[in-house]
Amino acid sequence: MKRQVGTAREILGAPHPLLSAVAEPVDPTAPEVVAAAADLLATLRRLEPATIGLAAPQIGLSLRLIAFDARLHPRSRSWAGELVVANPRLAGASHWGHGREGCASITGLTADVRRATRITVHGHLPGTGEDVTIEADAFEARCIQHQLDHLDGLLFLDRVRGALSLHRRLHTCDA
């Protein structure tokens, strides 16, 4: 299948209502989903290296699509590649810990969030619909879980225990 070139879109900022809504499942082979995946990836590439993951609701699409590429982040250990995954679902999670997160939809803040540091995710590749399984750890696992939350209408602030967990963003690698 020919690789589609996408168009970078603007990022929605909180409290946009689409960011708190549950995204719709997709047919990964549908042309509009393939186009949306290309736009999501083009937007992510425009924001790199400060941002290593995006979900479709962040670019104004209520679709269960995530994109990520953790290769440039200094705290990454695993790297599944530059991927867009349709209808991703968390199949396994272990080794929980707190870590710093930021979000392209919430500028100026980061927070300490508890997440699994080892995960397994199942989904489909846009275009072919091929099944994909991702084994991720460390920061890549954190990034993927952050994107999965976006598909369920959650922001990282929804997982913060209190005001003492919030921090002003000081570095671009806090993403």
Side-chain angles (χ1 to χ4, degrees):
M1 174 171 271
K2 182 180 160 188
R3 186 175 173 165
Q4 185 162 350
V5 177
T7 301
R9 295 180 178 221
E10 291 302 311
I11 302 295
L12 298 182
H16 194 284
L18 198 55
L19 295 173
S20 59
V22 176
E24 296 295 321
V26 298
D27 171 356
T29 62
E32 62 274 12
V33 171
V34 174
D39 287 356
L40 191 59
L41 200 52
T43 306
L44 179 62
R45 287 175 180 152
R46 185 190 77 212
L47 299 172
E48 286 177 331
T51 301
I52 65 167
L54 283 175
Q58 291 180 278
I59 63 168
L61 302 170
S62 183
L63 304 173
R64 294 192 79 78
L65 287 173
I66 63 171
F68 57 93
D69 182 358
R71 78 176 177 267
L72 299 176
H73 197 279
R75 293 187 309 211
S76 284
R77 289 195 320 238
S78 63
W79 182 57
E82 180 186 69
L83 284 178
V84 179
V85 181
N87 303 319
R89 64 193 183 287
L90 190 63
S94 64
H95 298 85
W96 296 79
H98 284 87
R100 187 73 54 95
E101 290 184 25
C103 182
S105 294
I106 301 172
T107 57
L109 283 179
T110 63
D112 298 321
V113 179
R114 186 173 186 266
R115 298 217 189 253
T117 60
R118 291 186 187 162
I119 64 168
T120 301
V121 173
H122 297 297
H124 304 278
L125 296 178
T128 65
E130 178 183 341
D131 290 340
V132 63
T133 297
I134 299 146
E135 302 279 342
D137 67 6
F139 202 78
E140 184 175 50
R142 178 169 297 282
C143 170
I144 293 169
Q145 290 168 90
H146 180 108
Q147 304 320 315
L148 293 173
D149 276 356
H150 277 298
L151 300 182
D152 292 330
L154 297 172
L155 297 171
F156 76 96
L157 295 177
D158 295 319
R159 296 202 179 271
V160 173
R161 291 188 300 190
L164 294 178
S165 295
L166 295 174
H167 308 279
R168 284 195 174 124
R169 175 176 250 159
L170 301 175
H171 309 283
T172 58
C173 66
D174 286 340

